[in-house]
Amino acid sequence: MNMRATPAALMPALHPVSLQVNTYLINLDRAPLRRFRMERLLAGFGLAYERVAAVDGAAISLPHRGFDEKSYLSRHGRRPNPFEIGCYLSHVECARRFLAGDAEFALVLEDDLDFDDDFAELLDAALRHHAHWDVLRLSTVNSGRKHRVKPLTASRALAIALTREKGSGAYVINRKAAQWIAGALLPMRLPYDLAFDLEFDDGLRACFVDPLPVSQRADACSQIQAGLSAYRLGRRRPWSVLPFRAAAEIRRFVARFSRLATWRLRISPASAERRSKRGGRGDCPPARSRPNAAPRSP
């Protein structure tokens, strides 16, 4: 549990889920208002957290050992964005801190989020079903369909998305996923949210919560998005980008559709036992078990 950066006022009202998950808040040193706002929101849920000072893109110079510029150009087709690199390395730092401790799960948050009122309760429910996911995504900036596979609460369920989903504002990972982020995802070859959406290539299972409990607000002050057009190459984009994206979409659909099909075709032992007992006699119980059944004539 994260105690070092937790305000003292939060301590008496900790939610039990804080005992199960380490929460990391990514926040730039020069963005104190964002930190204060998120601090109040997390305190309202009783969630302890540890602030992770975001890697400031303004201080990054290239070449950088954590960034593969050649692969980035061939896969993403844009000039390097130092603020995007800083965001990427900040998420990697969260995974590293998590692995340095002994917690089983980590909740990673950016600092421009809004939460639904049942956020803490939803987390608690999702952790009880942790056997079904390595990465639990709580936000997105896309609107693709989420296919429900397992109820979590009266209003939310685990779901699988078959198409690309951008945004990495809020998610939960287990230690296997953290090892992937801190290992296989380095050096950076794609923006973090795009690399993070390729978990299936390394045998990891990602689920969404549907409907999403966290919204990732569009921020006019975001330095990653500001002046984004300056990093685009237009027609000078390498030819390799389109085949890479097409192949990734196909792999994503095949991998996640296979998981979805497995869920759809799965028959619980209890359901199988009921079917076996019926033995093809239909769903109606025997006449003697129906209290209003008319007696048979001799």
Tab-separated table of all heavy atoms in Angstrom, residues 200-258:
chain	number	residue	atom	x	y	z
A	200	PHE	N	-1.589	-8.726	-26.378
A	200	PHE	CA	-1.822	-10.087	-26.855
A	200	PHE	C	-0.593	-10.676	-27.532
A	200	PHE	O	-0.424	-11.895	-27.564
A	200	PHE	CB	-3.010	-10.091	-27.832
A	200	PHE	CG	-2.905	-9.041	-28.894
A	200	PHE	CD1	-2.201	-9.269	-30.059
A	200	PHE	CD2	-3.494	-7.800	-28.714
A	200	PHE	CE1	-2.083	-8.292	-31.029
A	200	PHE	CE2	-3.398	-6.814	-29.673
A	200	PHE	CZ	-2.673	-7.058	-30.839
A	201	ASP	N	0.281	-9.826	-28.085
A	201	ASP	CA	1.485	-10.329	-28.747
A	201	ASP	C	2.400	-11.061	-27.781
A	201	ASP	O	3.229	-11.872	-28.204
A	201	ASP	CB	2.255	-9.173	-29.393
A	201	ASP	CG	1.686	-8.762	-30.754
A	201	ASP	OD1	0.975	-9.584	-31.363
A	201	ASP	OD2	1.955	-7.630	-31.191
A	202	ASP	N	2.273	-10.771	-26.495
A	202	ASP	CA	3.110	-11.428	-25.488
A	202	ASP	C	2.300	-12.308	-24.546
A	202	ASP	O	2.722	-12.594	-23.421
A	202	ASP	CB	3.889	-10.375	-24.702
A	202	ASP	CG	5.003	-9.763	-25.535
A	202	ASP	OD1	6.072	-10.381	-25.637
A	202	ASP	OD2	4.789	-8.677	-26.116
A	203	GLY	N	1.130	-12.741	-25.010
A	203	GLY	CA	0.345	-13.710	-24.255
A	203	GLY	C	-0.378	-13.150	-23.048
A	203	GLY	O	-0.801	-13.916	-22.177
A	204	LEU	N	-0.562	-11.840	-22.973
A	204	LEU	CA	-1.284	-11.232	-21.858
A	204	LEU	C	-2.758	-11.059	-22.207
A	204	LEU	O	-3.137	-10.971	-23.378
A	204	LEU	CB	-0.682	-9.872	-21.506
A	204	LEU	CG	0.778	-9.889	-21.040
A	204	LEU	CD1	1.276	-8.470	-20.847
A	204	LEU	CD2	0.929	-10.682	-19.764
A	205	ARG	N	-3.582	-11.012	-21.165
A	205	ARG	CA	-5.034	-10.876	-21.336
A	205	ARG	C	-5.475	-9.504	-20.837
A	205	ARG	O	-5.237	-9.164	-19.679
A	205	ARG	CB	-5.770	-11.966	-20.561
A	205	ARG	CG	-5.363	-13.393	-20.932
A	205	ARG	CD	-5.712	-14.355	-19.818
A	205	ARG	NE	-5.033	-13.960	-18.579
A	205	ARG	CZ	-5.418	-14.336	-17.361
A	205	ARG	NH1	-6.468	-15.112	-17.215
A	205	ARG	NH2	-4.749	-13.936	-16.296
A	206	ALA	N	-6.113	-8.747	-21.723
A	206	ALA	CA	-6.623	-7.428	-21.342
A	206	ALA	C	-8.149	-7.457	-21.336
A	206	ALA	O	-8.772	-8.068	-22.198
A	206	ALA	CB	-6.132	-6.362	-22.314
A	207	CYS	N	-8.715	-6.810	-20.354
A	207	CYS	CA	-10.167	-6.623	-20.290
A	207	CYS	C	-10.466	-5.154	-20.024
A	207	CYS	O	-9.655	-4.452	-19.409
A	207	CYS	CB	-10.786	-7.463	-19.163
A	207	CYS	SG	-11.020	-9.206	-19.563
A	208	PHE	N	-11.614	-4.720	-20.496
A	208	PHE	CA	-12.141	-3.419	-20.136
A	208	PHE	C	-13.211	-3.602	-19.074
A	208	PHE	O	-13.755	-4.703	-18.903
A	208	PHE	CB	-12.772	-2.739	-21.351
A	208	PHE	CG	-11.810	-1.970	-22.194
A	208	PHE	CD1	-11.105	-2.584	-23.212
A	208	PHE	CD2	-11.591	-0.619	-21.969
A	208	PHE	CE1	-10.212	-1.882	-23.996
A	208	PHE	CE2	-10.702	0.102	-22.739
A	208	PHE	CZ	-10.016	-0.520	-23.754
A	209	VAL	N	-13.512	-2.530	-18.368
A	209	VAL	CA	-14.722	-2.474	-17.561
A	209	VAL	C	-15.760	-1.733	-18.388
A	209	VAL	O	-15.473	-0.665	-18.940
A	209	VAL	CB	-14.482	-1.748	-16.224
A	209	VAL	CG1	-15.795	-1.530	-15.500
A	209	VAL	CG2	-13.529	-2.557	-15.356
A	210	ASP	N	-16.935	-2.306	-18.505
A	210	ASP	CA	-18.012	-1.698	-19.290
A	210	ASP	C	-19.270	-1.548	-18.441
A	210	ASP	O	-19.723	-2.523	-17.858
A	210	ASP	CB	-18.321	-2.564	-20.513
A	210	ASP	CG	-19.396	-1.961	-21.403
A	210	ASP	OD1	-19.185	-0.817	-21.873
A	210	ASP	OD2	-20.434	-2.611	-21.585
A	211	PRO	N	-19.823	-0.324	-18.365
A	211	PRO	CA	-19.294	0.919	-18.914
A	211	PRO	C	-18.069	1.387	-18.143
A	211	PRO	O	-17.873	1.032	-16.988
A	211	PRO	CB	-20.471	1.885	-18.775
A	211	PRO	CG	-21.272	1.344	-17.642
A	211	PRO	CD	-21.149	-0.144	-17.708
A	212	LEU	N	-17.284	2.226	-18.794
A	212	LEU	CA	-16.026	2.685	-18.204
A	212	LEU	C	-16.281	3.540	-16.967
A	212	LEU	O	-17.132	4.429	-16.994
A	212	LEU	CB	-15.239	3.495	-19.232
A	212	LEU	CG	-14.727	2.694	-20.425
A	212	LEU	CD1	-14.310	3.643	-21.536
A	212	LEU	CD2	-13.570	1.795	-20.019
A	213	PRO	N	-15.535	3.311	-15.885
A	213	PRO	CA	-15.728	4.101	-14.664
A	213	PRO	C	-14.876	5.369	-14.606
A	213	PRO	O	-15.010	6.163	-13.684
A	213	PRO	CB	-15.296	3.128	-13.562
A	213	PRO	CG	-14.228	2.314	-14.214
A	213	PRO	CD	-14.632	2.174	-15.657
A	214	VAL	N	-13.981	5.538	-15.585
A	214	VAL	CA	-13.066	6.681	-15.588
A	214	VAL	C	-13.110	7.352	-16.953
A	214	VAL	O	-13.073	6.667	-17.982
A	214	VAL	CB	-11.618	6.245	-15.278
A	214	VAL	CG1	-10.689	7.457	-15.259
A	214	VAL	CG2	-11.548	5.492	-13.958
A	215	SER	N	-13.208	8.655	-16.966
A	215	SER	CA	-13.147	9.404	-18.222
A	215	SER	C	-11.837	10.164	-18.278
A	215	SER	O	-11.396	10.754	-17.289
A	215	SER	CB	-14.331	10.372	-18.342
A	215	SER	OG	-14.319	11.316	-17.295
A	216	GLN	N	-11.205	10.094	-19.434
A	216	GLN	CA	-9.935	10.771	-19.663
A	216	GLN	C	-10.248	12.068	-20.394
A	216	GLN	O	-10.508	12.090	-21.585
A	216	GLN	CB	-9.008	9.883	-20.495
A	216	GLN	CG	-7.573	10.330	-20.483
A	216	GLN	CD	-6.648	9.234	-21.008
A	216	GLN	OE1	-7.062	8.089	-21.195
A	216	GLN	NE2	-5.403	9.582	-21.239
A	217	ARG	N	-10.232	13.152	-19.666
A	217	ARG	CA	-10.691	14.430	-20.191
A	217	ARG	C	-9.729	14.995	-21.225
A	217	ARG	O	-8.524	14.912	-21.071
A	217	ARG	CB	-10.857	15.451	-19.060
A	217	ARG	CG	-11.807	15.017	-17.969
A	217	ARG	CD	-11.857	16.043	-16.864
A	217	ARG	NE	-10.526	16.317	-16.327
A	217	ARG	CZ	-10.125	17.504	-15.897
A	217	ARG	NH1	-10.934	18.529	-15.966
A	217	ARG	NH2	-8.918	17.689	-15.390
A	218	ALA	N	-10.305	15.576	-22.270
A	218	ALA	CA	-9.483	16.286	-23.246
A	218	ALA	C	-8.968	17.558	-22.579
A	218	ALA	O	-9.737	18.361	-22.070
A	218	ALA	CB	-10.310	16.627	-24.477
A	219	ASP	N	-7.674	17.722	-22.546
A	219	ASP	CA	-7.065	18.859	-21.867
A	219	ASP	C	-6.378	19.759	-22.883
A	219	ASP	O	-5.437	19.349	-23.556
A	219	ASP	CB	-6.050	18.361	-20.835
A	219	ASP	CG	-5.529	19.473	-19.947
A	219	ASP	OD1	-5.702	20.651	-20.301
A	219	ASP	OD2	-4.946	19.154	-18.900
A	220	ALA	N	-6.853	20.979	-22.980
A	220	ALA	CA	-6.279	21.911	-23.946
A	220	ALA	C	-4.828	22.232	-23.646
A	220	ALA	O	-4.090	22.700	-24.512
A	220	ALA	CB	-7.099	23.197	-23.954
A	221	CYS	N	-4.392	21.961	-22.405
A	221	CYS	CA	-3.016	22.272	-22.003
A	221	CYS	C	-2.079	21.085	-22.174
A	221	CYS	O	-0.918	21.158	-21.799
A	221	CYS	CB	-2.988	22.747	-20.551
A	221	CYS	SG	-3.907	24.271	-20.268
A	222	SER	N	-2.576	19.970	-22.696
A	222	SER	CA	-1.740	18.790	-22.847
A	222	SER	C	-0.604	19.073	-23.822
A	222	SER	O	-0.828	19.436	-24.974
A	222	SER	CB	-2.575	17.615	-23.361
A	222	SER	OG	-1.750	16.530	-23.705
A	223	GLN	N	0.628	18.864	-23.362
A	223	GLN	CA	1.767	19.132	-24.220
A	223	GLN	C	1.994	18.021	-25.232
A	223	GLN	O	2.654	18.229	-26.248
A	223	GLN	CB	3.015	19.345	-23.364
A	223	GLN	CG	2.980	20.644	-22.581
A	223	GLN	CD	4.241	20.851	-21.780
A	223	GLN	OE1	4.630	19.976	-21.009
A	223	GLN	NE2	4.879	21.986	-21.943
A	224	ILE	N	1.455	16.847	-24.962
A	224	ILE	CA	1.578	15.766	-25.934
A	224	ILE	C	0.742	16.085	-27.164
A	224	ILE	O	1.151	15.871	-28.303
A	224	ILE	CB	1.144	14.422	-25.312
A	224	ILE	CG1	2.100	14.042	-24.174
A	224	ILE	CG2	1.122	13.321	-26.361
A	224	ILE	CD1	1.731	12.777	-23.467
A	225	GLN	N	-0.468	16.608	-26.949
A	225	GLN	CA	-1.367	16.912	-28.050
A	225	GLN	C	-1.078	18.268	-28.684
A	225	GLN	O	-1.370	18.486	-29.854
A	225	GLN	CB	-2.819	16.876	-27.551
A	225	GLN	CG	-3.256	15.527	-27.002
A	225	GLN	CD	-3.153	14.416	-28.021
A	225	GLN	OE1	-3.449	14.598	-29.196
A	225	GLN	NE2	-2.708	13.242	-27.583
A	226	ALA	N	-0.527	19.194	-27.909
A	226	ALA	CA	-0.264	20.537	-28.423
A	226	ALA	C	0.758	20.476	-29.555
A	226	ALA	O	1.836	19.899	-29.417
A	226	ALA	CB	0.227	21.436	-27.302
A	227	GLY	N	0.420	21.069	-30.679
A	227	GLY	CA	1.340	21.107	-31.813
A	227	GLY	C	1.634	19.749	-32.402
A	227	GLY	O	2.705	19.521	-32.980
A	228	LEU	N	0.666	18.807	-32.265
A	228	LEU	CA	0.894	17.444	-32.732
A	228	LEU	C	1.185	17.401	-34.227
A	228	LEU	O	1.941	16.555	-34.706
A	228	LEU	CB	-0.330	16.581	-32.411
A	228	LEU	CG	-0.162	15.071	-32.496
A	228	LEU	CD1	0.918	14.588	-31.545
A	228	LEU	CD2	-1.483	14.374	-32.207
A	229	SER	N	0.585	18.317	-34.977
A	229	SER	CA	0.773	18.320	-36.427
A	229	SER	C	2.231	18.527	-36.819
A	229	SER	O	2.669	18.113	-37.896
A	229	SER	CB	-0.098	19.411	-37.072
A	229	SER	OG	0.241	20.684	-36.549
A	230	ALA	N	3.010	19.150	-35.936
A	230	ALA	CA	4.416	19.406	-36.250
A	230	ALA	C	5.225	18.118	-36.331
A	230	ALA	O	6.308	18.100	-36.936
A	230	ALA	CB	5.021	20.328	-35.190
A	231	TYR	N	4.717	17.039	-35.743
A	231	TYR	CA	5.456	15.779	-35.732
A	231	TYR	C	5.013	14.831	-36.849
A	231	TYR	O	5.594	13.771	-37.018
A	231	TYR	CB	5.284	15.093	-34.378
A	231	TYR	CG	5.767	15.941	-33.227
A	231	TYR	CD1	4.867	16.642	-32.423
A	231	TYR	CD2	7.123	16.060	-32.956
A	231	TYR	CE1	5.315	17.434	-31.371
A	231	TYR	CE2	7.575	16.853	-31.911
A	231	TYR	CZ	6.665	17.543	-31.125
A	231	TYR	OH	7.110	18.336	-30.095
A	232	ARG	N	3.974	15.214	-37.592
A	232	ARG	CA	3.492	14.361	-38.676
A	232	ARG	C	4.311	14.576	-39.945
A	232	ARG	O	4.733	15.690	-40.237
A	232	ARG	CB	2.016	14.654	-38.941
A	232	ARG	CG	1.117	14.240	-37.779
A	232	ARG	CD	-0.302	14.702	-37.980
A	232	ARG	NE	-1.165	14.284	-36.873
A	232	ARG	CZ	-2.341	14.819	-36.590
A	232	ARG	NH1	-2.819	15.817	-37.343
A	232	ARG	NH2	-3.045	14.373	-35.574
A	233	LEU	N	4.496	13.502	-40.697
A	233	LEU	CA	5.306	13.559	-41.911
A	233	LEU	C	4.471	13.616	-43.179
A	233	LEU	O	5.018	13.814	-44.260
A	233	LEU	CB	6.250	12.348	-41.960
A	233	LEU	CG	7.314	12.305	-40.856
A	233	LEU	CD1	8.081	10.989	-40.930
A	233	LEU	CD2	8.261	13.472	-40.981
A	234	GLY	N	3.156	13.411	-43.048
A	234	GLY	CA	2.295	13.463	-44.221
A	234	GLY	C	2.678	12.422	-45.256
A	234	GLY	O	2.870	11.246	-44.937
A	235	ARG	N	2.843	12.855	-46.484
A	235	ARG	CA	3.154	11.925	-47.574
A	235	ARG	C	4.558	11.366	-47.487
A	235	ARG	O	4.890	10.390	-48.173
A	235	ARG	CB	2.969	12.630	-48.924
A	235	ARG	CG	1.516	13.009	-49.205
A	235	ARG	CD	1.389	13.654	-50.567
A	235	ARG	NE	-0.005	13.980	-50.865
A	235	ARG	CZ	-0.405	14.570	-51.990
A	235	ARG	NH1	0.498	14.895	-52.911
A	235	ARG	NH2	-1.684	14.839	-52.184
A	236	ARG	N	5.385	11.949	-46.652
A	236	ARG	CA	6.755	11.448	-46.490
A	236	ARG	C	6.820	10.318	-45.462
A	236	ARG	O	7.900	9.834	-45.142
A	236	ARG	CB	7.672	12.596	-46.069
A	236	ARG	CG	7.877	13.645	-47.152
A	236	ARG	CD	8.725	14.783	-46.627
A	236	ARG	NE	8.037	15.502	-45.564
A	236	ARG	CZ	8.634	16.327	-44.715
A	236	ARG	NH1	9.942	16.496	-44.766
A	236	ARG	NH2	7.933	16.966	-43.793
A	237	ARG	N	5.674	9.925	-44.959
A	237	ARG	CA	5.630	8.834	-43.983
A	237	ARG	C	6.159	7.549	-44.610
A	237	ARG	O	5.817	7.226	-45.756
A	237	ARG	CB	4.189	8.633	-43.511
A	237	ARG	CG	4.039	7.621	-42.396
A	237	ARG	CD	2.601	7.548	-41.938
A	237	ARG	NE	1.728	7.025	-42.987
A	237	ARG	CZ	0.417	6.853	-42.850
A	237	ARG	NH1	-0.180	7.187	-41.736
A	237	ARG	NH2	-0.300	6.374	-43.840
A	238	PRO	N	6.983	6.776	-43.893
A	238	PRO	CA	7.538	5.534	-44.455
A	238	PRO	C	6.441	4.565	-44.903
A	238	PRO	O	5.373	4.471	-44.292
A	238	PRO	CB	8.342	4.955	-43.280
A	238	PRO	CG	8.662	6.129	-42.420
A	238	PRO	CD	7.487	7.049	-42.533
A	239	TRP	N	6.722	3.831	-45.958
A	239	TRP	CA	5.753	2.872	-46.503
A	239	TRP	C	5.441	1.757	-45.528
A	239	TRP	O	4.386	1.127	-45.586
A	239	TRP	CB	6.302	2.261	-47.799
A	239	TRP	CG	7.517	1.399	-47.567
A	239	TRP	CD1	8.812	1.775	-47.619
A	239	TRP	CD2	7.520	0.005	-47.216
A	239	TRP	NE1	9.649	0.713	-47.314
A	239	TRP	CE2	8.883	-0.383	-47.070
A	239	TRP	CE3	6.521	-0.948	-47.016
A	239	TRP	CZ2	9.251	-1.688	-46.732
A	239	TRP	CZ3	6.888	-2.248	-46.682
A	239	TRP	CH2	8.246	-2.611	-46.544
A	240	SER	N	6.355	1.493	-44.589
A	240	SER	CA	6.210	0.367	-43.655
A	240	SER	C	5.089	0.566	-42.632
A	240	SER	O	4.656	-0.401	-41.986
A	240	SER	CB	7.529	0.140	-42.916
A	240	SER	OG	7.940	1.336	-42.244
A	241	VAL	N	4.607	1.803	-42.454
A	241	VAL	CA	3.625	2.076	-41.404
A	241	VAL	C	2.306	1.351	-41.667
A	241	VAL	O	1.750	0.713	-40.763
A	241	VAL	CB	3.387	3.598	-41.280
A	241	VAL	CG1	2.261	3.872	-40.287
A	241	VAL	CG2	4.667	4.289	-40.837
A	242	LEU	N	1.802	1.449	-42.869
A	242	LEU	CA	0.495	0.849	-43.174
A	242	LEU	C	0.499	-0.666	-43.003
A	242	LEU	O	-0.404	-1.212	-42.353
A	242	LEU	CB	0.050	1.241	-44.584
A	242	LEU	CG	-1.365	0.805	-44.987
A	242	LEU	CD1	-2.396	1.360	-44.009
A	242	LEU	CD2	-1.677	1.261	-46.409
A	243	PRO	N	1.486	-1.403	-43.559
A	243	PRO	CA	1.512	-2.857	-43.313
A	243	PRO	C	1.617	-3.206	-41.835
A	243	PRO	O	0.990	-4.161	-41.375
A	243	PRO	CB	2.750	-3.321	-44.091
A	243	PRO	CG	2.972	-2.290	-45.120
A	243	PRO	CD	2.530	-0.997	-44.502
A	244	PHE	N	2.411	-2.434	-41.088
A	244	PHE	CA	2.536	-2.715	-39.657
A	244	PHE	C	1.198	-2.555	-38.960
A	244	PHE	O	0.797	-3.411	-38.158
A	244	PHE	CB	3.569	-1.782	-39.021
A	244	PHE	CG	3.644	-1.911	-37.523
A	244	PHE	CD1	4.361	-2.943	-36.939
A	244	PHE	CD2	2.954	-1.033	-36.698
A	244	PHE	CE1	4.410	-3.087	-35.563
A	244	PHE	CE2	2.993	-1.167	-35.312
A	244	PHE	CZ	3.729	-2.194	-34.750
A	245	ARG	N	0.490	-1.464	-39.250
A	245	ARG	CA	-0.799	-1.231	-38.602
A	245	ARG	C	-1.829	-2.279	-39.008
A	245	ARG	O	-2.609	-2.749	-38.174
A	245	ARG	CB	-1.304	0.170	-38.959
A	245	ARG	CG	-0.507	1.281	-38.311
A	245	ARG	CD	-1.107	2.642	-38.618
A	245	ARG	NE	-0.378	3.711	-37.961
A	245	ARG	CZ	-0.671	4.994	-38.094
A	245	ARG	NH1	-1.682	5.375	-38.872
A	245	ARG	NH2	0.042	5.913	-37.463
A	246	ALA	N	-1.835	-2.643	-40.290
A	246	ALA	CA	-2.798	-3.647	-40.757
A	246	ALA	C	-2.553	-4.988	-40.080
A	246	ALA	O	-3.497	-5.670	-39.637
A	246	ALA	CB	-2.708	-3.784	-42.275
A	247	ALA	N	-1.285	-5.377	-39.983
A	247	ALA	CA	-0.954	-6.651	-39.338
A	247	ALA	C	-1.337	-6.630	-37.863
A	247	ALA	O	-1.842	-7.628	-37.319
A	247	ALA	CB	0.536	-6.947	-39.501
A	248	ALA	N	-1.122	-5.492	-37.199
A	248	ALA	CA	-1.469	-5.379	-35.779
A	248	ALA	C	-2.974	-5.494	-35.582
A	248	ALA	O	-3.432	-6.144	-34.632
A	248	ALA	CB	-0.961	-4.053	-35.220
A	249	GLU	N	-3.755	-4.883	-36.469
A	249	GLU	CA	-5.214	-4.959	-36.356
A	249	GLU	C	-5.687	-6.401	-36.524
A	249	GLU	O	-6.587	-6.861	-35.814
A	249	GLU	CB	-5.872	-4.058	-37.398
A	249	GLU	CG	-5.659	-2.577	-37.183
A	249	GLU	CD	-6.289	-2.075	-35.896
A	249	GLU	OE1	-7.338	-2.610	-35.488
A	249	GLU	OE2	-5.712	-1.156	-35.285
A	250	ILE	N	-5.100	-7.103	-37.473
A	250	ILE	CA	-5.500	-8.497	-37.715
A	250	ILE	C	-5.148	-9.360	-36.512
A	250	ILE	O	-5.969	-10.164	-36.038
A	250	ILE	CB	-4.815	-9.034	-38.992
A	250	ILE	CG1	-5.376	-8.312	-40.229
A	250	ILE	CG2	-5.036	-10.545	-39.123
A	250	ILE	CD1	-4.620	-8.620	-41.504
A	251	ARG	N	-3.931	-9.207	-35.997
A	251	ARG	CA	-3.522	-9.997	-34.829
A	251	ARG	C	-4.422	-9.695	-33.633
A	251	ARG	O	-4.798	-10.602	-32.878
A	251	ARG	CB	-2.058	-9.711	-34.463
A	251	ARG	CG	-1.045	-10.106	-35.499
A	251	ARG	CD	0.368	-10.168	-34.925
A	251	ARG	NE	0.737	-8.994	-34.159
A	251	ARG	CZ	1.228	-7.873	-34.676
A	251	ARG	NH1	1.384	-7.750	-35.985
A	251	ARG	NH2	1.577	-6.856	-33.883
A	252	ARG	N	-4.731	-8.415	-33.447
A	252	ARG	CA	-5.581	-8.018	-32.321
A	252	ARG	C	-6.959	-8.674	-32.438
A	252	ARG	O	-7.463	-9.256	-31.468
A	252	ARG	CB	-5.735	-6.495	-32.288
A	252	ARG	CG	-6.688	-6.011	-31.189
A	252	ARG	CD	-6.879	-4.509	-31.234
A	252	ARG	NE	-5.649	-3.804	-30.932
A	252	ARG	CZ	-4.905	-3.167	-31.825
A	252	ARG	NH1	-5.286	-3.124	-33.090
A	252	ARG	NH2	-3.794	-2.574	-31.462
A	253	PHE	N	-7.550	-8.586	-33.607
A	253	PHE	CA	-8.894	-9.136	-33.779
A	253	PHE	C	-8.889	-10.648	-33.567
A	253	PHE	O	-9.763	-11.181	-32.861
A	253	PHE	CB	-9.428	-8.813	-35.175
A	253	PHE	CG	-10.828	-9.323	-35.413
A	253	PHE	CD1	-11.921	-8.562	-35.016
A	253	PHE	CD2	-11.045	-10.560	-35.996
A	253	PHE	CE1	-13.216	-9.032	-35.215
A	253	PHE	CE2	-12.329	-11.033	-36.194
A	253	PHE	CZ	-13.416	-10.266	-35.804
A	254	VAL	N	-7.910	-11.335	-34.147
A	254	VAL	CA	-7.860	-12.798	-34.018
A	254	VAL	C	-7.662	-13.200	-32.554
A	254	VAL	O	-8.362	-14.083	-32.041
A	254	VAL	CB	-6.739	-13.371	-34.906
A	254	VAL	CG1	-6.519	-14.854	-34.593
A	254	VAL	CG2	-7.069	-13.192	-36.372
A	255	ALA	N	-6.724	-12.566	-31.867
A	255	ALA	CA	-6.419	-12.941	-30.486
A	255	ALA	C	-7.601	-12.657	-29.564
A	255	ALA	O	-7.986	-13.511	-28.746
A	255	ALA	CB	-5.177	-12.191	-30.002
A	256	ARG	N	-8.171	-11.482	-29.680
A	256	ARG	CA	-9.254	-11.124	-28.764
A	256	ARG	C	-10.565	-11.804	-29.136
A	256	ARG	O	-11.351	-12.140	-28.248
A	256	ARG	CB	-9.411	-9.607	-28.723
A	256	ARG	CG	-8.197	-8.925	-28.089
A	256	ARG	CD	-8.396	-7.439	-27.976
A	256	ARG	NE	-7.233	-6.778	-27.391
A	256	ARG	CZ	-7.073	-5.468	-27.352
A	256	ARG	NH1	-8.005	-4.675	-27.860
A	256	ARG	NH2	-5.994	-4.942	-26.810
A	257	PHE	N	-10.792	-12.033	-30.437
A	257	PHE	CA	-11.999	-12.760	-30.816
A	257	PHE	C	-11.934	-14.192	-30.297
A	257	PHE	O	-12.958	-14.759	-29.882
A	257	PHE	CB	-12.181	-12.756	-32.333
A	257	PHE	CG	-13.441	-13.449	-32.782
A	257	PHE	CD1	-14.672	-12.797	-32.741
A	257	PHE	CD2	-13.408	-14.763	-33.217
A	257	PHE	CE1	-15.827	-13.440	-33.135
A	257	PHE	CE2	-14.558	-15.416	-33.612
A	257	PHE	CZ	-15.779	-14.747	-33.574
A	258	SER	N	-10.754	-14.786	-30.314
A	258	SER	CA	-10.597	-16.146	-29.777
A	258	SER	C	-10.952	-16.185	-28.301
A	258	SER	O	-11.638	-17.109	-27.837
A	258	SER	CB	-9.162	-16.631	-29.983
A	258	SER	OG	-8.851	-16.722	-31.356
